[in-house]
Amino acid sequence: MQIPMVDLKRQYHEIKSEIDEAVLNALEATQFILGPNVQRFEEEAAAFLGVKHAVSLANGTEALHLALLASGIGKGDEVITTPFTFIATAEAISYVGAKPVFVDIDPRTFNIDPKKMEEYIVAHGVSRMKAIIPVHLYGQAADMDPIMAIAKKHKLKVIEDCAQSFGGDYKGKMTGSFGEFGCYSFFPSKNLGCYGDGGMVTTNDPELAEKVKMLRNHGSKVRYYHSVIGYNSRLDEIQAAILRVKLKRMKRFNELRNRNAHLYSKMLEGTGVTPPFEDGNGMHVYHQYTVKTSSRDRIIEALAKEGIASAIYYPVPLHKQDVYKKDYQGLSLPITEKVSQEVLSLPIFPELTEEEIKKVVSTILTVLG
Ligand SMILES: *Cc1c(COP(=O)(O)O)cnc(C)c1O
């Protein structure tokens, strides 16, 4: 039995007739750029997420980049974020000439620790600080109440990285609806994934939505009239057609991820492998199912022998990456550094079966037993 991290083929075959029809209709309509599916998808996504505006984009990295630009963040500014995330979060900050300020994480949720944020601000001040980018890592919301309180107190903007948390909530409110912007990725393996690259920002501010719409389309509101330097960063019509089919199933997909995670956690109880910690603030939508273990290498090897995939998200904290380490010499973030040595993500996707979960866990137990 082969068990991949995510089985996109299984899902495609389940919804194939509807996807194929949607794609063929988009091909027939031949309105490939900013066509009707893009428009409808943006309306449907905004309604689903409980926000006023959704603006679709070329990918999630661009969502972060254009959100920062539209928020007026640039050269010499500082943006607080987590060192325990995909590189894109920090890359976007670097694109606009600002500096990522990394603060340590909560060892249980792996999300940025608001207390560490406050400590940093007390020690260094906020003269250059302009924004916070919390990441809702693995599908569990960062602790938004204290984060929003810090932002308010110090007049910082909040741009949420929701690439892993589509449909997840914090105290009944969707991730992505707290800050100026929510930034989403539709990379194929994300909770809501298209069949190529795609991304989106959400916002409740009509002016910010307008700004991003201009930035994604060469700085232009009226065709061939350009008021700012923009980008070519649009979601294409075929991807939008696919996303509309999948959006209708998002609630169920997330519930199935959550159910599968809970099956894993129950079976892993008392084994020495630490299942993910749920802080109880909202629904964890389990983009990743990530355990902590001191036997990581041996587990990876045993799983691989059985044809079971596993992955480390993320093996190197951002302040230790080659691209950033020169600028962060002497920065010590002990929790992130320790956690990056212990985390292991196991296969998780809506269509994963109980039998497969049992197989993964029993294989892990052969190592620990
Ligand atoms: C996937 C991801 C991104 C980037 O999304 P792309 O669509 O691949 O550009 C950004 N942040 C996080 C946390 C991600 O997981």
Side-chain angles (χ1 to χ4, degrees), residues 2 38 76 109 172 180 184 188 214 216 241 254 260 300 311 331-332 367:
Q2 296 280 326
V38 166
T109 63
E180 264 73 18
Y184 292 86
M214 279 177 66
R216 78 172 168 187
N254 278 339
N260 290 341
I300 293 172
L331 175 64
S332 158
V367 174

Side-chain angles (χ1 to χ4, degrees), residues 179-254:
E180 264 73 18
F181 283 109
C183 301
Y184 292 86
S185 164
F186 304 128
F187 186 82
S189 64
K190 299 285 159 94
N191 288 40
L192 177 59
C194 57
Y195 294 170
D197 276 309
M200 180 176 80
V201 297
T202 55
T203 180
N204 285 316
D205 182 330
E207 269 177 45
L208 289 178
E210 249 348 277
K211 270 191 187 167
V212 175
K213 278 190 178 172
M214 279 177 66
L215 287 170
R216 78 172 168 187
N217 198 26
H218 302 287
S220 157
K221 212 180 270 182
V222 178
R223 210 169 190 184
Y224 305 124
Y225 292 80
H226 307 275
S227 41
V228 295
I229 293 292
Y231 298 81
N232 177 348
S233 182
R234 301 165 303 224
L235 180 74
D236 76 68
E237 185 70 2
I238 294 170
Q239 300 305 337
I242 292 164
L243 286 164
R244 290 184 66 202
V245 173
K246 291 180 74 168
L247 180 64
K248 287 192 284 185
R249 295 170 169 81
M250 259 327 276
K251 193 163 176 294
R252 189 171 60 87
F253 284 160
N254 278 339

Side-chain angles (χ1 to χ4, degrees), residues 59-61 64 85-86 88-89 135 161 163-164 185 187 190 198:
N59 56 66
T61 308
L64 291 159
T85 175
F86 182 55
T89 315
V135 179
D161 184 336
Q164 304 188 0
S185 164
F187 186 82
K190 299 285 159 94

Side-chain angles (χ1 to χ4, degrees), residues 21-38 223 236-238 241:
E21 193 191 340
V23 170
L24 289 174
N25 284 342
L27 293 181
E28 202 56 54
T30 56
Q31 279 185 267
F32 295 118
I33 302 296
L34 298 179
N37 277 294
V38 166
R223 210 169 190 184
D236 76 68
E237 185 70 2
I238 294 170

